[in-house]
Amino acid sequence: MKTYLYVFVYSFASKAELVSKLKSVTVEYKFTFSAYKTTKTLYVAKCRVQGCGWKLRASVKHGPKTF
């Protein structure tokens, strides 16, 4: 099984904006996710499909709410 790591650098004004963008991407690319871990400074989402290894990890940077 191959493992791939992709790194994207985006900034969002808040966690809500990040989640909103993620939801629109899931509609566009026809997949679904669930929040795996969420805190004030971290958001981790995983693919809901069994066997799918997709995962997103976002954390706060440059301020208390900027993701």
Side-chain angles (χ1 to χ4, degrees):
M1 183 170 132
K2 291 184 180 181
T3 301
Y4 297 95
L5 173 65
Y6 297 96
V7 177
F8 299 95
V9 181
Y10 293 98
S11 287
F12 298 94
S14 66
K15 183 169 33 174
E17 185 180 316
L18 164 69
V19 173
S20 176
K21 178 63 176 177
L22 183 56
K23 286 179 180 179
S24 67
V25 168
T26 62
V27 170
E28 183 178 348
Y29 291 98
K30 299 179 178 137
F31 72 98
T32 185
F33 73 96
S34 61
Y36 177 73
K37 182 175 184 176
T38 181
T39 69
K40 289 182 180 181
T41 59
L42 178 69
Y43 185 81
V44 180
K46 292 175 76 173
C47 180
R48 281 186 163 174
V49 178
Q50 187 174 358
C52 175
W54 178 90
K55 186 194 281 189
L56 171 125
R57 183 185 185 280
S59 60
V60 170
K61 70 173 201 172
H62 305 298
K65 293 185 178 181
T66 305
F67 274 80

